[in-house]
Amino acid sequence: MPGPLFSPVDYDPARFDPETRRLLRATIDWFEARGKRALVADFHAKRFHADFLRFAAQEQLFATLLTPRAEAGRAADKRWDTARIAALSEILGFYGLSYWYPWQVTILGLGPVWQSGNQVARARTAAVLDEGGVCAFGLSERDHGADIYATDMVLTPDGQGGYRATGGKYYIGNGNVARVVSVFGRVEGVEGPDAYVFFTADSSHPNYHLIRNVVPQQIYVSEFRLEDYPVTADDILHTGPAAFDAALNTVNIGKFNLSFGGIGIAEHSLYEAITHAHNRVLYGNRVTDFPHVRAQFVEAYTRLLAAKLFCDRAVDYFRSANPDDRRYLLFNPVTKMKATTEAERVVTLLTDIVAAKSFEADSYLTIAATDIRGLPKLEGTVAVNMALILKFLPQYLFPQGTHADVPTRQTPDDDAFLFRQGPARGLNTITFADWREPYRTFHHIPNVAVFSEQADALTALVTAGITPDQTKDLDFAITLGDLFTLVVYGQLILEQAELTGTDTHTLDQIFATFTADFSRYATALHNKPSSTAAQQKWALSAIRKPDVDPTRFTAVWNQVAALSGTYEMKP
Ligand SMILES: Cc1cc2nc3c(=O)[nH]c(=O)nc-3n(C[C@H](O)[C@H](O)[C@H](O)COP(=O)(O)OP(=O)(O)OC[C@H]3O[C@@H](n4cnc5c(N)ncnc54)[C@H](O)[C@@H]3O)c2cc1C
């Protein structure tokens, strides 16, 4: 029976329809047939992934998985289905960020198009996907970073109802090959949000100047310039404040996949690390006989399973979202910020264990150690996502709302709501159900009980008051956000555990890790320059030692040890 981790050996997700299963399997088979030698050699040679794009084109991989039903015509398997998009993101991450990234930026490039009512642009984009083309998302500019309000991509009216666009974009993935580049800019002479425009450009147009790849990697993260680029009504996707909403809503859709990419990277790393360490004998003993190595493996494994449980459950909230249930707007930045950071932690733990092996030319871990660093930083840094998460703190911790239970969503539906999310504002009107409910369900598990005490203590901290200066001080607020995020993370993990029957030992071990994390963040809050005497007292009182149970630890360790030798990429 397949275990909780993705494995190319036995992957056949029964939850999907036959064509989805075929496509996912074909992708795995393509990577395995090409083999590990080619994978690592191409990575180190920084060879562009043109062969992967050819494979994807031939299989209609992106066209099938990324065309919403409204543009699907008679193709029965095309739909925008977050569950299978997440599944492919995990698989591509498993083989490396170099393959996940062109898929991811295609998703981002499609965001403004599928949110647009421009039928010409929509049909053209669907045709590009059918031809095996990819897309790009042209938001960032060299001088403006996260400040997307500031754009120097300027559209000047051409006097015939269209525009000429001139300006540069920076850090734009697929900008070397994309036939649909969704570009954010502003109309000259118009003030404020009314000036914003999202339009499409084609990288093969003579007025589109590709300047260079700004990263020294296999992926192509372009700097490009438009010079007098003609923009007609057929190219305009959004204007005014709607263009800005389209940018944010696109990132909402796209950044979800970073966590699945990170989970895939961490899974492949775990197979390689356990197989190496468990079979390596030093001083007459296995490396995995060292108690600290076992502890690191168990921590890596439980953090990885926790990230999977959370992200799989977040898919359900994403797919069930509607104008009256926008809870995904909290779970999404948690997915992005927390799960990618956790995946990075997992890879760091594993590379600490295997040490020199994670520097070798033929190790996947060498690739993973480089790739994993990007995920927490891209599409909003940890700080940017944390600022967003904190907006939900009051209404989440002190819920006023009720919501029907969100079921597991694995049905072959088109997630059309994601393309009509509406204005990005109004976050403070989003209501939550009682987060304590799943904690109560699992209160019999010792570390869930310990962690619940800490979560309750957090509500006491907030009730006692955060000073107005502390609210504005992001350095303080991020630590508060770390504490808060753990509670949200735990809620969805427990919900998913109930839905999937996760074993008690694993859950207990996961919450042992979270209890220790909470204690660490509480200590950090204690040490913040602005913490008050009362908050310092609170912090010390919130520290808990996780419940210790050698039987449980050994049971989880045995799950990790059993992974040794179960998967090795074909040479
Ligand atoms: C490999 C790669 C691929 C990329 N692909 C694309 C792409 O395809 N399309 C695209 O449009 N962009 C892309 N980007 C750009 C990416 O999203 C940028 O990282 C982003 O624009 C932020 O800019 P910056 O990293 O320069 O950080 P800056 O915005 O300069 O931020 C600097 C620091 O300030 C903090 N900060 C900024 N704003 C806030 C805030 N509001 N609250 C709290 N802290 C804040 C940040 O946390 C950060 O630590 C890519 C970048 C890379 C490296």
Side-chain angles (χ1 to χ4, degrees), residues 101 105 108 137-140 144-147 170-173 215 219 221 377-381 383-384 387 474:
Y101 183 72
V105 289
L108 291 173
F137 185 58
L139 186 62
S140 298
H144 303 305
D147 179 10
Y170 202 77
Y171 295 128
I172 310 305
V215 301
I219 54 174
V221 183
K377 297 171 188 62
L378 301 179
E379 286 177 52
T381 56
V384 167
L474 203 49

Side-chain angles (χ1 to χ4, degrees), residues 19-242:
E19 178 58 8
T20 302
R21 281 156 87 168
R22 189 196 70 75
L23 282 171
L24 298 177
R25 189 67 240 174
T27 305
I28 295 166
D29 292 344
W30 182 81
F31 280 107
E32 293 292 334
R34 198 179 56 140
K36 190 171 182 181
R37 267 195 291 274
L39 187 92
V40 297
D42 283 4
F43 176 85
H44 294 298
K46 304 177 179 34
R47 197 169 294 124
F48 185 61
H49 42 68
D51 53 351
F52 170 65
L53 295 185
R54 276 196 300 277
F55 158 78
Q58 181 192 317
E59 294 293 340
Q60 289 274 289
L61 187 63
F62 293 8
T64 306
L65 269 59
L66 300 181
T67 306
R69 202 153 269 160
E71 300 302 326
R74 275 190 254 153
D77 297 310
K78 285 182 181 171
R79 63 182 184 276
W80 192 283
D81 172 340
T82 303
R84 62 183 189 166
I85 289 173
L88 186 65
S89 297
E90 184 175 351
I91 292 170
L92 294 178
F94 191 90
Y95 292 105
L97 208 76
S98 302
Y99 307 95
W100 169 90
Y101 183 72
W103 152 257
Q104 167 68 2
V105 289
T106 296
I107 291 172
L108 291 173
L110 290 168
V113 181
W114 299 148
Q115 287 175 74
S116 169
N118 182 334
Q119 290 304 329
V120 176
R122 291 174 68 95
R124 194 172 56 208
T125 302
V128 163
L129 288 175
D130 279 344
E131 290 157 16
V134 294
C135 306
F137 185 58
L139 186 62
S140 298
E141 295 177 18
R142 185 173 197 164
D143 294 338
H144 303 305
D147 179 10
I148 56 173
Y149 294 88
T151 168
D152 291 322
M153 175 63 73
V154 178
L155 282 78
T156 313
D158 64 4
Q160 293 158 22
Y163 300 93
R164 292 277 168 168
T166 298
K169 290 283 172 182
Y170 202 77
Y171 295 128
I172 310 305
N174 287 353
N176 55 331
V177 287
R179 299 300 309 276
V180 176
V181 184
S182 295
V183 182
F184 186 72
R186 64 180 162 85
V187 176
E188 190 179 48
V190 181
E191 291 302 315
D194 288 342
Y196 296 132
V197 184
F198 239 120
F199 63 97
T200 66
D202 181 342
S203 72
S204 65
H205 192 283
N207 296 17
Y208 180 109
H209 303 284
L210 183 65
I211 297 173
R212 64 184 174 123
N213 187 358
V214 298
V215 301
Q217 292 174 24
Q218 253 189 297
I219 54 174
Y220 202 105
V221 183
S222 66
E223 176 179 8
F224 72 79
R225 238 193 114 64
L226 302 185
E227 290 288 355
D228 233 14
Y229 188 101
V231 179
T232 71
D234 291 347
D235 306 315
I236 304 270
L237 300 173
H238 305 274
T239 56

